[in-house]
Amino acid sequence: HNHNSSTTRTMKFPLITTLATLSLRPATVAAFTPHSHSTINKHNSNPRFSSSPTSLQISALESLADITTLSIDSGDIDTVSKYAQTGLITDATTNPLFVSQAGANGDARYEAMVAEAVTYAKRTTCAEDGCPVPEETLNKAVDRLAVNLGKELVGLVPGRVSTEVDIRLSYDTDASVERARSIIEMYESMGVSKDRILIKLAGTWEGIQAAKILEAEGIQCNITLVFSFLQAAAAAQAGAYLISPFPGRILDWHKKQSGTEGYAPDADPGVLSVKRMYAYFRKYEYDTICMPASWRPSRGADVEGSDVDEILALAGVDEMTIPPPLLESLSGLESSAVVRKCSAESDAAACVDPNFTFTEESYATYWETDECGKEKLKDGIDAFTTETENLIKILIDKF
């Protein structure tokens, strides 16, 4: 995935998928422009603006999709389907919360996924009905449910779906690698190629090293829960396909520390952190994609339109994953709200970070001083651990 080619993603998917997607887009030439992670050779003028008689109706969501690859942050099949049909969404991301929600949903489609996951786990681990359910069987059911949900999403979006390795393994490299391989095997047994899946791993040193091993095997990874430049640099050095920094949670931390109620979006500490990561990747020509996630209103929740402050302040970054309510907000804004804020060339030129190669020891030394990273990573792992444990309670009742 070379960022310097604006045609990188053109032939990635079968023609029939492409045609199915295109048939749902507005019939204008620009609507058929393939999206890519390129941020250098993008056209600056959009034919739709000059040639279309309805140019005033173009939304901020459409304009954003022209300069940044968009992913939907949801495990809701109907919602993902709705947005995928616009042709503006390329990828989908899931997390333990979404999988847990699927487990508790009650909708017949999700219930079928849960039942299949339980049956599969019993069959592959030889757990007898009526006996206490072994941990290995429960873990297999958790992974299988995540894969069942992911397989549904793969059928809806043309790009990649992110599936998370058990968050409780965030400090165990070998166990994370083993579970990731198992998840990919499940997908492949269902006919889903591994190049449609990103394995999500927490941004611990151990998770990043798991990604290094998996990437060498051709299994692409998404390093998530990134709150620090250190995590981003280490992930790029490990060859991770993509990182998910969380500007909103970085902002939360800084607001709490400083007592500041709000920031101008371009001065938002979360936005500045993501821009620093993106600039480092582009300056030193790392292929790692920067895909921010988890958004907050820079100016404060009481300011109208502030819910998309961070998104608009990072327009032009490689990719973003956005939850449905914020996609809806962007759909309601005019295209003029979108102005490119991230550019590979200018951000790379502005990067002042050295390309310092981390060892486990040097990383640990720097990490010890990173209060935002330490606190937010722990919070994120704890929250997802709770969701995973909630899911296990749901699944135990199904055995």
Side-chain angles (χ1 to χ4, degrees):
H1 48 284
N2 178 359
H3 296 284
N4 296 333
S5 163
S6 57
T7 56
T8 313
R9 298 171 72 127
T10 314
M11 294 305 294
K12 198 160 277 182
F13 306 107
L15 184 60
I16 192 154
T17 309
T18 311
L19 291 174
T21 307
L22 293 180
S23 67
L24 298 159
R25 281 299 297 271
T28 63
V29 175
F32 303 143
T33 306
H35 295 159
S36 83
H37 287 302
S38 166
T39 45
I40 293 177
N41 295 333
K42 275 288 180 185
H43 46 73
N44 291 323
S45 62
N46 186 329
R48 281 181 288 176
F49 288 115
S50 52
S51 62
S52 167
T54 57
S55 61
L56 292 176
Q57 296 169 8
I58 293 165
S59 72
L61 184 62
E62 289 177 88
S63 290
L64 185 61
D66 279 340
I67 59 172
T68 290
T69 301
L70 299 183
S71 169
I72 184 167
D73 198 19
S74 174
D76 184 280
I77 296 167
D78 293 332
T79 305
V80 174
S81 176
K82 174 186 141 186
Y83 277 101
Q85 286 177 28
T86 65
L88 301 174
I89 302 297
T90 302
D91 297 337
T93 49
T94 66
N95 62 41
L97 171 61
F98 299 158
V99 178
S100 180
Q101 287 170 338
N105 188 288
D107 178 301
R109 294 167 301 175
Y110 297 101
E111 284 294 308
M113 290 182 201
V114 172
E116 196 282 337
V118 169
T119 304
Y120 173 86
K122 283 181 182 174
R123 190 177 77 242
T124 54
T125 62
C126 302
E128 298 293 325
D129 285 343
C131 298
V133 186
E135 187 181 4
E136 180 201 1
T137 306
L138 285 169
N139 290 342
K140 191 72 81 171
V142 167
D143 288 353
R144 185 68 170 194
L145 178 56
V147 169
N148 285 343
L149 177 60
K151 180 178 185 288
E152 282 294 318
L153 300 178
V154 162
L156 299 174
V157 298
R160 290 171 169 77
V161 171
S162 290
T163 297
E164 193 145 351
V165 165
D166 191 330
I167 198 76
R168 297 170 299 171
L169 303 177
S170 295
Y171 293 96
D172 187 332
T173 296
D174 292 342
S176 293
V177 167
E178 192 180 317
R179 289 286 281 278
R181 288 174 181 148
S182 166
I183 287 168
I184 291 296
E185 281 169 15
M186 284 188 214
Y187 272 118
E188 291 190 324
S189 74
M190 294 179 178
V192 177
S193 167
K194 68 182 177 184
D195 64 9
R196 296 292 309 280
I197 303 302
L198 293 183
I199 289 291
K200 255 176 123 172
L201 296 155
T204 56
W205 176 260
E206 293 79 5
I208 291 167
Q209 298 319 299
K212 186 174 187 176
I213 294 165
L214 292 164
E215 291 281 356
E217 297 174 6
I219 295 172
Q220 293 175 323
C221 298
N222 169 352
I223 299 296
T224 189
L225 296 174
V226 172
F227 307 100
S228 155
F229 175 77
L230 288 177
Q231 293 170 286
Q237 291 173 17
Y241 178 84
L242 178 150
I243 66 162
S244 297
F246 286 19
R249 296 195 203 175
I250 296 170
L251 172 64
D252 288 345
W253 188 87
H254 283 274
K255 282 170 77 170
K256 186 175 150 193
Q257 296 300 309
S258 67
T260 306
E261 284 300 301
Y263 291 83
D266 289 342
D268 176 324
V271 169
L272 294 174
S273 291
V274 174
K275 280 188 71 83
R276 182 183 175 194
M277 298 169 196
Y278 171 73
Y280 173 81
F281 291 177
R282 298 294 82 84
K283 178 171 183 174
Y284 298 109
E285 299 184 339
Y286 288 107
D287 280 338
T288 302
I289 292 161
C290 185
M291 183 185 76
S294 192
W295 310 94
R296 300 285 188 272
S298 302
R299 293 171 291 163
D302 55 339
V303 179
E304 188 180 352
S306 64
D307 57 341
V308 293
D309 278 353
E310 292 183 328
I311 292 172
L312 296 176
L314 288 167
V317 73
D318 301 321
E319 181 159 5
M320 297 176 176
T321 189
I322 305 176
L326 298 185
L327 291 173
E328 195 64 34
S329 293
L330 291 164
S331 299
L333 288 177
E334 289 189 8
S335 63
S336 57
V338 177
V339 178
R340 182 187 285 280
K341 298 292 185 132
C342 294
S343 157
E345 284 175 344
S346 56
D347 283 305
C351 174
V352 293
D353 287 295
N355 194 17
F356 175 82
T357 304
F358 289 111
T359 62
E360 186 169 2
E361 294 69 31
S362 64
Y363 186 87
T365 302
Y366 285 111
W367 182 248
E368 205 40 53
T369 67
D370 196 322
E371 296 305 324
C372 175
K374 284 194 301 185
E375 184 180 319
K376 285 294 170 189
L377 179 59
K378 181 184 183 302
D379 288 351
I381 290 173
D382 288 350
F384 281 157
T385 298
T386 300
E387 292 303 337
T388 302
E389 288 166 352
N390 289 342
L391 175 59
I392 284 170
K393 286 176 193 152
I394 293 165
L395 291 174
I396 285 174
D397 291 340
K398 310 280 185 184
F399 274 87

